[in-house]
Amino acid sequence: MTFSWFMFEFIGTIAFAVSGSMVGLSRRMDIFGVAVLSILTAVGGGILRDILMGVTPPLAFRTPSGLLLPIVTALIVSGLYVKLKVTKKEKIWLGHIYNISDTIGLAAFTVTGAMMGLGGDIAYILPATLGVSTGIGGGILRDLMAQRVPVVLRMDVYAIASLAGGLALCAVWYAGYKEFASWVGFSVVLLLRFGAIHFGWQLYHPRPEGIRKRSSGKC
């Protein structure tokens, strides 16, 4: 594994640990619950990736940093959270921080997952699948533990952004520009997710005609 792989793994772990901690805090969990959500979000996707690739035990359990990093992040986020004066403005900023950290985590883990599938006999399909699985796996575990519908099922341009990033990474890598592939994949996920958040992009929702008309008449 290359230096860039470890860099994206580190970035993704921190980013997803922040988003997991914030979900735990929003659910008014104690410090243990916040730490559990931080860990699940940070390492869940990577564990799924490693199991699919036959890497046992998963990398998260091979070094202390795999679990310590999310725990330390949870403690820091919790310490900062208790010092906040929760006003309407602060809630808006917390929402922005959550979206940013969750998007960075999705992009970084899409890259690490896709990179582990490169170079084999199965081009595109395996890397892209591993990228999506790694990117969304931890978030699904986080949301299920927090008793809410997983974000991947509520936000249309989420798994799609991860898939697009994984495919873009593969295209650049197989085109011979291996040193740029990870950054292209990372950037594609970021652009699609932030674009979806800012512009409210949605996929097509199949609905009966009567429901579509009632929905279109709403302000």
Side-chain angles (χ1 to χ4, degrees):
M1 282 175 253
T2 63
F3 171 77
S4 62
W5 187 92
F6 284 106
M7 179 186 67
F8 282 114
E9 185 79 354
F10 179 81
I11 292 172
T13 299
I14 293 290
F16 264 161
V18 171
S19 73
S21 300
M22 294 185 71
V23 171
L25 292 168
S26 71
R27 290 298 196 184
R28 298 184 179 179
M29 295 182 179
D30 61 18
I31 192 64
F32 179 78
V34 173
V36 167
L37 284 196
S38 177
I39 293 170
L40 285 176
T41 314
V43 306
I47 291 174
L48 176 59
R49 172 200 65 209
D50 295 343
I51 291 174
L52 290 173
M53 289 295 292
V55 178
T56 54
L59 297 177
F61 300 133
R62 296 190 181 188
T63 59
S65 61
L67 298 179
L68 286 177
L69 195 56
I71 292 174
V72 171
T73 302
L75 294 176
I76 293 174
V77 172
S78 298
L80 295 174
Y81 182 77
V82 297
K83 296 183 179 298
L84 286 177
K85 295 179 181 179
V86 184
T87 62
K88 185 177 180 179
K89 184 178 180 180
E90 294 291 346
K91 289 182 179 180
I92 293 174
W93 276 106
L94 287 175
H96 290 329
I97 293 172
Y98 169 80
N99 284 328
I100 291 171
S101 63
D102 193 61
T103 297
I104 292 175
L106 177 69
F109 278 159
T110 294
V111 169
T112 61
M115 288 179 71
M116 286 191 70
L118 292 171
D121 297 331
I122 309 175
Y124 286 94
I125 296 177
L126 178 60
T129 301
L130 287 175
V132 174
S133 301
T134 311
I136 70 175
I140 291 176
L141 292 175
R142 172 198 66 204
D143 294 339
L144 290 176
M145 291 293 288
Q147 296 184 334
R148 66 180 197 173
V149 178
V151 66
V152 68
L153 301 179
R154 293 184 288 113
M155 294 184 181
D156 293 338
V157 187
Y158 194 86
I160 293 296
S162 177
L163 178 60
L167 291 174
L169 185 152
C170 292
V172 176
W173 197 88
Y174 287 116
Y177 303 98
K178 298 180 180 180
E179 63 273 20
F180 302 112
S182 58
W183 289 104
V184 170
F186 184 76
S187 300
V188 167
V189 179
L190 290 183
L191 289 173
L192 287 176
R193 275 299 301 138
F194 285 136
I197 293 170
H198 182 74
F199 296 108
W201 292 340
Q202 295 284 326
L203 298 181
Y204 171 64
H205 287 209
R207 295 177 182 175
E209 184 177 353
I211 295 179
R212 291 202 304 270
K213 289 182 178 179
R214 289 197 297 271
S215 298
S216 64
K218 293 181 179 180
C219 299

